[in-house]
Amino acid sequence: YRLGAQLRTHSIWVAMLGNLVSPSRGLLIFVPSLIFVGYLLVRYWKYVQSRRLVGVSLTVLVLHLILVSSFPIWWAGFSFGPRFLTDVVPWFVLLAIMGVQAMLLASEQRGPVYKAEVIFGVVLLAAGIFIHARGANSPATQMWNARPVSIDEHPERLWDWRDPQFLARD
C-alpha cells in the first residue's frame, strides 16, 4: 500500500474519516483509549515535558493517516479493525506515556477529578479489550468481511452502525 502508483486522493477525506471513526475500521472505535490519551495531552499540556516530541509524534501520525487514506482500498480489505494504522502503534504508546506522566505531575492530581479521569480511562481501555477479544475469538468477525456481501464490493457497510464488525453474529 505504500507504492506511489496506487495512491489516490479522490476520496481522501472520506477515507480519513473512515480510518478514524468508521464502526468497522475506525481507530477511535477500536482503540477508544486513544481518546483518553488525547484528553490527557490537552488537559495537562503545561505538564508535558517533551512537547517537541509530541509535535513530532502527531506529525508522523497525521502523515501516516494521509498515506493510508490515499490507498484505494483504505479499509484494508478482509481485515479486522484499523489494520493500516498498526505501523504507528509505537507513536501512540509514546503519546500515552507522555500523557500519563503529565497527569501524574499535575498538582491537582489527587482530587475527585483525578479519580473520574482514571475511571474514564479504565472504561475506555475495557471497551477496547472487549472489541479486540471479539475479533480474536469470534469467527463471525472475520466472516463479516464476506457476509452478507463482500466488503470490497460494498464498502458502504463500513459505515453501518447497526452491523459493526466487532459485534458480528453467526
Side-chain angles (χ1 to χ4, degrees):
Y1 65 88
R2 287 184 172 82
L3 298 176
Q6 293 183 356
L7 300 180
R8 308 280 185 273
T9 58
H10 67 280
S11 62
I12 193 167
W13 296 110
V14 171
M16 287 175 67
L17 191 61
N19 276 313
L20 292 175
V21 296
S22 160
S24 295
R25 292 296 190 269
L27 179 69
L28 298 176
I29 304 303
F30 281 76
V31 190
S33 56
L34 292 177
I35 296 167
F36 184 61
V37 170
Y39 166 80
L40 291 179
L41 290 170
V42 170
R43 174 150 164 67
Y44 296 107
W45 180 248
K46 63 183 175 181
Y47 298 99
V48 173
Q49 294 186 332
S50 300
R51 292 180 184 169
R52 283 163 95 197
L53 192 52
V54 170
V56 169
S57 300
L58 293 175
T59 301
V60 168
L61 294 172
V62 169
L63 290 175
H64 187 82
L65 178 64
I66 291 169
L67 175 68
V68 299
S69 297
S70 299
F71 190 60
I73 302 176
W74 59 265
W75 56 89
F78 280 44
S79 64
F80 180 80
R83 189 187 100 199
F84 282 164
L85 293 170
T86 56
D87 293 343
V88 292
V89 167
W91 294 98
F92 286 123
V93 171
L94 180 63
L95 289 174
I97 290 168
M98 290 190 284
V100 170
Q101 180 188 36
M103 181 180 75
L104 294 174
L105 290 173
S107 61
E108 64 270 1
Q109 65 179 323
R110 298 294 175 215
V113 172
Y114 172 79
K115 290 177 183 173
E117 289 171 337
V118 170
I119 291 169
F120 177 63
V122 168
V123 167
L124 290 177
L125 184 61
I129 290 170
F130 167 78
I131 289 168
H132 287 280
R134 287 274 304 147
N137 296 307
S138 172
T141 61
Q142 286 306 311
M143 294 309 298
W144 178 93
N145 287 299
R147 292 185 195 151
V149 292
S150 169
I151 193 64
D152 290 339
E153 294 173 20
H154 295 278
E156 65 274 5
R157 292 180 58 218
L158 296 164
W159 299 100
D160 187 358
W161 278 99
R162 292 169 295 161
D163 183 30
Q165 184 178 18
F166 64 89
L167 293 178
R169 300 172 298 284
D170 291 327

